[in-house]
Amino acid sequence: VFMEELSGFHALEDQIKDTLKLDRVIIIPGDSDTQTWVKQDLGKRAVEYLLSIITSDQTVAVTGGTSMAAVAEMMHSSPNVKDCMFVPARGGLGERVENQANTICAEMAKKANGDYRLLYVPDPLSEGTYQSIIQEPGVEEILHIIRQADVVMHGIGNALTMATRRKTPSDVLMKLESGRAVSEAFGYYFDHIGHVVHKVRTVGMQLEDLSKIKTVIAIAGGKSKAEAIDSYFRQGKSNVLITDEAAAKALIKGF
Ligand code: F6P
């Protein structure tokens, strides 16, 4: 049964790889919506993948959320990967401190025996503050490091789940509803064909910066995220997906 399951996932991985036009898809067994250990397995598999592709002295940018927190939890060092730099991809984005990109990036750096730089900026920012803050030498320096990242690792969420979790103001909620936002990643909200409905104004990586980065890894599982994953990948900004069986099967079956 185990071997059958393994080869079964291979077929599913290929199918999703072709449908979403990705370079690599990794599926782990289970459903992170209902089985708590599956999210940890997702984190573990993501760490394994990361350590298989990075080399010493590279920079990894990370986002926040519970899936990325699971990645940080499972992170460890590797004899082949030395002196890596970890940075948050963007600002805090209204997450609890343990799920913020800064926290996750510091934890990953510590466990990998690497270094880290943090972003201390509130979000969302007003246009005026945004324009002046990105010119601060300290901020400018870290933004430069972020844009030069070799690898980006990020979560994907359901638009309304994320908007609620962030205590989003009602005018923005209305915008998300009328624009039929389905998914969220990096502070961007997307509709079912991947068009940006709304963007949280904060410093750090912008969507257009992603196309210059060689490896952009999305980590998202659970049946409830299938539609969000599909929506996010419509515009194809990431090239690797690490997910679970439940999300993968729902992606193929449709919703
Ligand atoms: O808020 C950071 C973030 O990475 C979002 O961009 C994403 O939608 C969310 O977290 C994913 O969170 P979780 O892994 O907890 O579902």
Side-chain angles (χ1 to χ4, degrees), residues 109-171:
K110 188 175 165 203
K111 291 182 171 167
N113 300 324
D115 205 353
Y116 64 85
R117 298 293 302 273
L118 302 179
L119 261 178
Y120 296 105
V121 254
D123 53 75
L125 293 167
S126 66
E127 180 61 30
T129 311
Y130 175 80
Q131 290 305 340
S132 64
I133 234 171
I134 56 170
Q135 283 167 34
E136 281 294 325
V139 174
E140 225 182 356
E141 191 194 338
I142 170 156
L143 290 182
H144 182 74
I145 302 175
I146 292 171
R147 281 194 217 104
Q148 306 281 312
D150 300 285
V151 179
V152 176
M153 297 181 96
H154 70 95
I156 300 173
N158 288 322
L160 294 180
T161 309
M162 288 315 298
T164 317
R165 191 157 108 190
R166 289 177 175 152
K167 304 189 173 50
T168 303
S170 59
D171 57 322

Side-chain angles (χ1 to χ4, degrees), residues 39 42 62-70 90-96 99-101 104 153-159 161-163 165-166 183-189 219-221 225 228:
K39 203 174 266 184
L42 210 56
V62 300
T63 71
T66 60
S67 310
M68 280 306 301
R90 297 189 96 203
L93 295 172
E95 295 276 18
R96 299 161 64 91
N99 295 332
Q100 279 176 16
I104 289 166
M153 297 181 96
H154 70 95
I156 300 173
N158 288 322
T161 309
M162 288 315 298
R165 191 157 108 190
R166 289 177 175 152
S183 64
E184 194 283 346
F186 299 100
Y188 289 78
Y189 290 87
I219 297 119
K225 276 194 189 176

Side-chain angles (χ1 to χ4, degrees), residues 2-12:
F2 187 58
M3 284 313 291
E4 259 173 29
E5 218 166 61
L6 276 184
S7 55
F9 286 160
H10 269 304
L12 199 53

Side-chain angles (χ1 to χ4, degrees), residues 89 152 154 186 205-216 232 237-238:
V152 176
H154 70 95
F186 299 100
M205 197 155 274
Q206 310 297 312
L207 207 54
E208 53 275 18
D209 297 327
L210 288 179
S211 28
K212 286 171 232 124
I213 293 168
K214 202 172 145 233
T215 314
V216 184
Y232 171 74
K237 296 292 180 194
S238 308

Side-chain angles (χ1 to χ4, degrees), residues 66-77:
T66 60
S67 310
M68 280 306 301
V71 176
E73 192 189 336
M74 305 313 277
M75 188 67 192
H76 58 82
S77 63

